[in-house]
Amino acid sequence: MTTTTDALVQLQAFQDALQRFEDGSITASTLNDQARASQALLTTLPARYGQVLLQLLDRLESSALFTEESCSFSQSDLHQHLHDWLAKAHTQLNA
């Protein structure tokens, strides 16, 4: 039970960090580092969740190199995918 509780705490911390990233308080690199350090979250969820999250974060960090939307990296789409991931992860942890 502690692992799930820890995972939920880390999930909330990641959600807060995403909000701070979106308002410009932290960088994509900082968001990426925090998510990768969320070991309770990543190990409690099925492996595919971690794989998807890390891919999204890699794309987000790469997109930070561009000042505008590009063909390869839509920052708004990546933000939405991260919010969708958070919602699915929350549902999975509470199942």
Side-chain angles (χ1 to χ4, degrees):
M1 189 63 81
T2 302
T3 304
T4 301
T5 302
D6 293 343
L8 285 167
V9 168
Q10 290 181 354
L11 182 67
Q12 183 61 51
F14 178 63
Q15 187 168 4
D16 294 344
L18 179 58
Q19 182 62 45
R20 288 193 317 273
F21 170 71
E22 290 175 339
D23 70 21
S25 300
I26 64 172
T27 65
S29 179
T30 301
L31 179 67
N32 195 334
D33 291 346
Q34 181 176 336
R36 289 176 187 275
S38 301
Q39 288 305 304
L41 177 60
L42 295 174
T43 58
T44 302
L45 290 168
R48 69 183 181 277
Y49 279 79
Q51 294 165 353
V52 168
L53 178 60
L54 297 179
Q55 289 172 1
L56 288 171
L57 291 169
D58 287 345
R59 289 174 52 203
L60 185 68
E61 198 164 9
S62 295
S63 75
L65 301 173
F66 299 98
T67 56
E68 299 175 4
E69 299 284 317
S70 76
C71 296
S72 301
F73 299 105
S74 169
Q75 290 185 12
S76 60
D77 285 351
L78 287 171
H79 290 219
Q80 185 57 53
H81 291 310
L82 285 167
H83 284 283
D84 292 345
W85 184 93
L86 282 163
K88 289 177 183 179
H90 191 272
T91 299
Q92 179 71 31
L93 290 173
N94 287 309

